[in-house]
Amino acid sequence: MKISIPRHYLYLTLISIVLLIFVIVFSFSVLIPKGKEYRIERLSFKTELNEYAKYQEFYDETLDVLKDLQSKNRHIIQAFDKPFNPQRFEKQHKTYFSDLKISKVDRAKDDEGFAVYEVNTTSKISSPTNFYDFLDAINKADWIIAVNFPIVFKREGEMINSSFTMRVYSNNNDTNSSASTSEAK
């Protein structure tokens, strides 16, 4: 008994076997190693994505805190941006004193992005409560001002002469600093 197989079946079987061998060799030599690399990269990506999510959450919380602080301290932030004007200072705070004179404005130093001005001030007040009211008003003023000690009080009749120095802080981009200094002198 003779088995007769047509030629095209034989070619088809042979081509199928060659292709099957090619697919097996290709998958073991290329696809499986790339699959391992893919799993490693996917795991690495997941850890980076988790870290990114943590940093994003930290960023969002920090941004919320920053915006909250900026809204609460808007007056202080704006005060740093205003250049010091001695005439305007005298005009605003003259109500607390019988006489207020700013004798000298010197640019003392630059401190980490801020310009610091030394201001010598003499005044006459009728009672010490006026001076303390003045100190309270400075906290709400248009500038960041620190009153330095010693504060000298001398009584002359019904009035009290006081002299003190103040430090005024503003941003270093103070464009009127030379104008303010020349006007005060």
Side-chain angles (χ1 to χ4, degrees):
M1 172 169 204
K2 196 171 182 190
I3 302 177
S4 144
I5 302 175
R7 262 186 151 160
H8 63 282
Y9 286 138
L10 190 61
Y11 288 137
L12 190 60
T13 307
L14 188 62
I15 289 176
S16 296
I17 292 172
V18 169
L19 284 176
L20 182 64
I21 292 171
F22 175 75
V23 167
I24 290 172
V25 169
F26 180 75
S27 57
F28 279 106
S29 64
V30 176
L31 291 180
I32 291 175
K34 291 290 182 183
K36 287 180 182 179
E37 287 179 26
Y38 170 75
R39 283 189 302 250
I40 292 169
E41 290 296 321
R42 185 179 65 191
L43 186 60
S44 172
F45 176 70
K46 281 185 178 179
T47 57
E48 287 178 11
L49 191 61
N50 287 339
E51 285 182 31
Y52 173 75
K54 288 177 186 175
Y55 284 122
Q56 185 67 36
E57 183 180 329
F58 176 73
Y59 170 79
D60 292 340
E61 289 172 2
T62 306
L63 184 64
D64 290 341
V65 169
L66 173 69
K67 287 183 179 180
D68 184 45
L69 287 174
Q70 282 178 335
S71 66
K72 286 180 181 176
N73 300 308
R74 183 174 314 277
H75 179 267
I76 295 169
I77 294 169
Q78 290 172 346
F80 271 118
D81 290 333
K82 292 187 179 176
F84 182 65
N85 185 341
Q87 288 78 20
R88 187 163 169 238
F89 177 82
E90 284 183 32
K91 190 177 184 183
Q92 280 183 345
H93 298 289
K94 198 155 183 107
T95 58
Y96 300 102
F97 302 100
S98 300
D99 186 24
L100 175 67
K101 291 181 186 165
I102 296 179
S103 59
K104 186 169 107 176
V105 177
D106 286 332
R107 188 168 180 145
K109 62 180 178 177
D110 291 342
D111 191 24
E112 292 184 21
F114 296 104
V116 180
Y117 299 96
E118 285 276 337
V119 180
N120 291 332
T121 309
T122 57
S123 62
K124 287 187 179 182
I125 53 176
S126 57
S127 74
T129 57
N130 289 356
F131 185 77
Y132 292 114
D133 291 341
F134 163 72
L135 291 178
D136 287 338
I138 280 186
N139 289 331
K140 297 172 187 146
D142 293 339
W143 306 281
I144 303 297
I145 298 173
V147 176
N148 294 335
F149 291 99
I151 301 171
V152 179
F153 292 106
K154 291 183 182 175
R155 184 138 183 105
E156 286 186 6
E158 293 294 314
M159 302 302 282
I160 300 171
N161 284 336
S162 65
S163 64
F164 54 93
T165 59
M166 299 183 300
R167 285 188 162 210
V168 181
Y169 298 88
S170 67
N171 278 338
N172 243 350
N173 59 359
D174 188 357
T175 55
N176 294 334
S177 62
S178 59
S180 301
T181 305
S182 63
E183 290 173 7
K185 290 180 181 178

